[in-house]
Amino acid sequence: MREVYQEQLGMLTDVLASMSAMVGTAMERATKSLLEADLTLAEQVIDEDALVDEARSRAEEYAFGLLALQAPVAGDLRSVIATIHAAEDMERMGDLALHVAKAARRRHPNAVLPDDVSAYFAEMGRIAVKLANQVSTVIRTHDVEAARLLEEIDDEMDDLHRHLFTVLMSPDWEHGVATAVDVTLLGRFYERFADHAVAVARRVEFIVTGKMPSR
């Protein structure tokens, strides 16, 4: 019975790690579509979001199966419940990449971003992908130190997000209210993507230590 449980838990881990890779790829493509007004890439992200949703459903199916059939206790139960929440976080990460892609599609063939802020989003996109990749590693290894490293990477995203507002609030801003609204929303999507990545890492730390990080 224990061997069956471990096998099923391994399948759940594989699905979660795969989800992290999927949302990282989605945000990478969405960022490129945003920066280059690439409609093909935007459509690809939009179409493939359903795959992330299916992966979450599969993760929940495995998790509920473990709860119903294996009757896990203590640390085992903690692992299953935490992974259910982690799958939800990663689905939200996929949704945020989807929002970026939809913004690129909505403004096509025009660019969404003025040159003043393009470099910010190129860097935020890079950090978002780095976070997703780090999450995948953390899920597979249960490395607490690697999980805590995501907090530092998230700080980089937060700094960029704050600096972005200095550009928007500058008296030199000349791109109008509509563009400012687009930039504000897009910046928020990247910041939230990072927050959800950190939430997944904290859940892994909870699985390992039994304590949810308070920071």
Side-chain angles (χ1 to χ4, degrees):
M1 183 68 73
R2 187 67 186 176
E3 289 180 4
V4 173
Y5 172 80
Q6 290 299 332
E7 180 180 345
Q8 292 177 329
L9 189 60
M11 293 167 64
L12 179 55
T13 297
D14 287 343
V15 173
L16 290 175
S18 175
M19 284 185 73
S20 184
M22 291 166 67
V23 300
T25 297
M27 186 56 96
E28 184 175 31
R29 290 172 177 166
T31 301
K32 188 171 182 180
S33 74
L34 188 69
L35 295 171
E36 301 179 7
D38 188 323
L39 181 60
T40 300
L41 273 179
E43 294 285 6
Q44 185 176 7
V45 173
I46 293 165
D47 290 343
E48 292 182 357
D49 181 64
L51 299 177
V52 178
D53 297 340
E54 290 170 8
R56 180 196 173 178
S57 296
R58 194 159 61 251
E60 289 184 341
E61 182 181 344
Y62 289 149
F64 291 135
L66 285 166
L67 290 173
L69 301 177
Q70 302 296 337
V73 294
D76 292 341
L77 181 61
R78 186 169 70 232
S79 296
V80 175
I81 297 300
T83 54
I84 291 172
H85 289 298
E88 180 181 359
D89 281 310
M90 283 190 285
E91 184 187 33
R92 286 296 302 136
M93 292 166 74
D95 289 341
L96 290 160
L98 174 68
H99 294 335
V100 173
K102 283 185 173 180
R105 182 177 68 175
R106 184 171 61 250
R107 297 299 186 192
H108 189 269
N110 298 318
V112 181
L113 304 173
D115 291 341
D116 312 45
V117 296
S118 290
Y120 285 90
F121 283 92
E123 183 64 5
M124 285 193 290
R126 184 192 68 79
I127 292 172
V129 173
K130 183 178 180 180
L131 284 164
N133 291 339
Q134 183 78 358
V135 165
S136 184
T137 299
V138 168
I139 289 169
R140 291 193 182 279
T141 64
H142 282 190
D143 185 330
V144 172
E145 291 305 315
R148 292 171 179 167
L149 181 61
L150 269 84
E151 302 275 355
E152 297 178 16
I153 303 173
D154 179 52
D155 288 342
E156 297 177 39
M157 183 73 84
D158 290 339
D159 287 344
L160 283 166
H161 189 235
R162 283 192 294 269
H163 291 160
L164 185 62
F165 277 99
T166 66
V167 178
L168 291 171
M169 299 303 292
S170 169
D172 296 328
W173 180 261
E174 56 185 18
H175 307 289
V177 174
T179 300
V181 170
D182 281 342
V183 170
T184 299
L185 287 174
L186 286 163
R188 179 64 172 162
F189 296 154
Y190 284 88
E191 188 225 5
R192 289 300 297 149
F193 185 98
D195 288 345
H196 282 289
V198 170
V200 175
R202 287 177 175 176
R203 296 189 195 285
V204 173
E205 186 172 347
F206 171 68
I207 289 171
V208 176
T209 67
K211 298 180 180 179
M212 181 63 79
S214 59
R215 57 188 181 281

